[in-house]
């Protein structure tokens, strides 16, 4: 990512002007570059060695900052820091929302098919040279339930529909775009059991919630207990949204058919985590969206916003992170 980022920076220097871009991972580097008092845009790049904590030291030296953009979609580590800084929650914060939705949607379908077509069983049969003509499952007619129904979930829902699946979703309130993609939407503002209804009525529960205080352990013991024994849980939003201890218990007891996790409470996943031992778990190391186009996708999104910001007629971004929600 760091190499790819450096190759793309020429575009930004061309747009902003030579010498107008300051790059570094520590305060001393930034100070040596000078011109911090003229900085108007701050861009944390956490996946290329950037540490958002440096903002605490950098912020007082950049009094003219008018925009902060995260090259990652998740801002759960960035929002708490900005909220503590003077003007931090007043400066617009944008992120890479939407840049990786396509690849994550593909991962979700791969996870569903992994369990639906019993891929582990097929691999085991091949290894043991067993001719086992078991009854194959279909996604057609099954129900995909989404916990959170933002851009990632909506892209996934479109693929689910292509397979002939029924789509249900859990959202906080009405009035957001995308409701028409679901056959039924359960709203937290109207039903205290809305979330459990999705867990209860779905064959596959897909959590795409962002991280933050409001979503911490949103998927826990009570929710897993509501699932069908034949159901599968998929997590690809933020690891903090899932109570891993509770999930391990239902997987160990085979209270649900299985789970697919791309994100975890602590990353990298500890070697002694019981998750490694679960045969009914599909595990990926937070790389479901780490495609060959990863850097290009987030960069193109940023450059689009930068050109918008640099326009003399700029009056604000159409969509920014809500500091009260954390996403």
């Amino acid at each position: 990512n760091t190499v790819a980022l450096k190759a793309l920076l020429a575009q930004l220097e061309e747009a902003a002007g030579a010498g107008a871009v300051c790059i570094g991972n520590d305060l001393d580097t930034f100070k040596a570059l000078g011109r911090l008092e003229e900085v108007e845009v701050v861009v944390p790049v956490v996946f290329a060695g950037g540490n958002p904590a440096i903002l605490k030291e950098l912020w007082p030296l950049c009094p003219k900052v008018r925009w902060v953009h995260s090259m990652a979609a998740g801002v759960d580590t960035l929002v708490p820091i900005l909220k503590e800084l003077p003007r931090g929650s007043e400066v617009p914060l944008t992120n890479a929302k939407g840049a990786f939705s396509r690849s994550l949607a593909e991962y979700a379908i791969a996870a569903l098919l992994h369990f639906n077509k019993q891929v582990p069983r097929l691999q085991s049969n091949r290894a043991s040279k067993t001719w086992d003509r078991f009854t194959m499952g279909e996604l057609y007619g099954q129900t995909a339930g989404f916990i959170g129904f933002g851009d990632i979930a909506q892209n996934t829902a479109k693929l689910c529909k292509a397979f002939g699946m029924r789509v249900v979703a859990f959202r906080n309130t009405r009035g957001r775009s995308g409701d028409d993609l679901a056959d039924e939407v359960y709203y937290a503002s109207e039903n205290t059991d809305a979330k459990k209804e999705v867990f209860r009525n779905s064959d596959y529960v897909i959590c795409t919630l962002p991280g933050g205080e409001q979503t911490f352990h949103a998927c826990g013991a009570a929710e897993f207990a509501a699932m069908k024994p034949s159901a599968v849980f998929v997590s690809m939003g933020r690891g903090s949204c899932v109570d891993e201890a509770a999930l391990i218990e239902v997987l160990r007891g085979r209270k649900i058919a299985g789970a697919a996790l791309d994100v975890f409470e602590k990353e990298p996943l500890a070697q002694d985590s019981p998750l490694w031992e679960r045969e009914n778990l599909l595990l990926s190391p937070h790389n479901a969206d780490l495609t060959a186009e990863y850097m290009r996708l987030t960069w193109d999104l940023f450059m689009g916003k930068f050109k918008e910001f640099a326009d003399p007629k700029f009056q604000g971004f159409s969509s920014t992170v809500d500091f009260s929600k954390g996403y």
Side-chain angles (χ1 to χ4, degrees):
N1 284 326
T2 303
V3 174
L5 180 61
K6 288 181 178 179
L8 291 166
L9 281 169
Q11 292 183 18
L12 183 58
E13 291 188 329
E14 182 179 345
V21 180
C22 301
I23 308 167
N25 282 334
D26 57 76
L27 188 62
D28 289 339
T29 300
F30 281 113
K31 283 183 175 181
L33 292 170
R35 302 187 64 181
L36 291 179
E37 69 280 356
E38 299 299 322
V39 169
E40 294 182 80
V41 184
V42 173
V43 185
V45 191
V46 294
F47 51 76
N51 181 1
I54 195 178
L55 276 175
K56 296 178 181 179
E57 301 172 302
L58 198 59
W59 198 259
L61 306 177
C62 305
K64 293 185 178 180
V65 171
R66 296 194 293 128
W67 171 35
V68 177
H69 177 79
S70 167
M71 295 289 271
V75 291
D76 44 310
T77 58
L78 186 58
V79 167
I81 292 172
L82 287 171
K83 288 173 74 172
E84 293 180 358
L85 300 174
R87 291 195 317 118
S89 56
E90 298 172 14
V91 173
L93 170 63
T94 57
N95 62 347
K97 176 184 177 181
F100 317 118
S101 298
R102 182 183 65 207
S103 55
L104 287 168
E106 288 186 8
Y107 176 85
I109 295 300
L112 269 56
L113 289 170
H114 173 85
F115 289 99
N116 184 265
K117 303 300 182 184
Q118 300 186 60
V119 173
R121 182 174 180 176
L122 292 170
Q123 293 176 316
S124 176
N125 287 342
R126 180 199 54 75
S128 63
K129 299 180 182 179
T130 301
W131 190 256
D132 174 22
R133 296 188 71 237
F134 61 84
T135 301
M136 188 67 74
E138 280 188 281
L139 289 183
Y140 182 88
Q142 298 276 285
T143 298
F146 291 89
I147 305 302
F149 206 55
D151 198 77
I152 296 170
Q154 290 175 29
N155 272 267
T156 306
K158 292 175 184 177
L159 295 187
C160 289
K161 282 292 186 180
F163 278 87
M165 300 184 75
R166 182 170 182 268
V167 171
V168 298
F170 166 75
R171 309 190 86 167
N172 284 325
T173 58
R174 292 181 182 270
R176 305 292 296 275
S177 63
D179 280 3
D180 57 314
L181 293 171
D183 294 286
E184 189 168 5
V185 181
Y186 297 87
Y187 301 98
S189 59
E190 301 173 12
N191 181 358
T192 55
D193 285 331
K195 186 170 42 170
K196 284 185 184 178
E197 286 297 314
V198 173
F199 275 86
R200 186 177 295 117
N201 296 316
S202 301
D203 298 296
Y204 300 91
V205 178
I206 305 167
C207 177
T208 61
L209 290 172
E213 293 180 6
Q214 293 189 2
T215 60
F216 181 74
H217 283 190
C219 303
E223 288 73 27
F224 297 136
M227 293 177 71
K228 304 174 184 178
S230 59
V232 171
F233 177 72
V234 180
S235 175
M236 54 184 195
R238 274 294 180 267
S240 60
C241 302
V242 178
D243 183 344
E244 284 182 11
L247 179 60
I248 288 169
E249 284 304 307
V250 295
L251 289 175
R252 181 183 285 130
R254 296 194 176 274
K255 301 292 180 62
I256 62 174
L261 305 180
D262 183 59
V263 290
F264 305 86
E265 290 195 69
K266 292 184 179 180
E267 298 180 4
L269 186 64
Q271 289 290 309
D272 60 355
S273 170
L275 288 170
W276 293 109
E277 302 168 7
R278 304 273 62 81
E279 293 182 357
N280 50 350
L281 173 67
L282 176 64
L283 187 156
S284 54
H286 202 156
N287 68 335
D289 59 355
L290 190 58
T291 66
E293 290 295 301
Y294 182 94
M295 197 64 236
R296 170 63 66 180
L297 290 169
T298 189
W299 183 262
D300 286 349
L301 187 147
F302 165 66
M303 285 303 295
K305 290 184 179 296
F306 181 80
K307 290 175 181 177
E308 183 182 352
F309 176 79
D311 189 320
K313 297 180 181 179
F314 175 72
Q315 294 184 340
F317 296 105
S318 58
S319 176
T320 58
V321 171
D322 185 335
F323 279 88
S324 64
K325 296 179 180 179
Y327 55 89

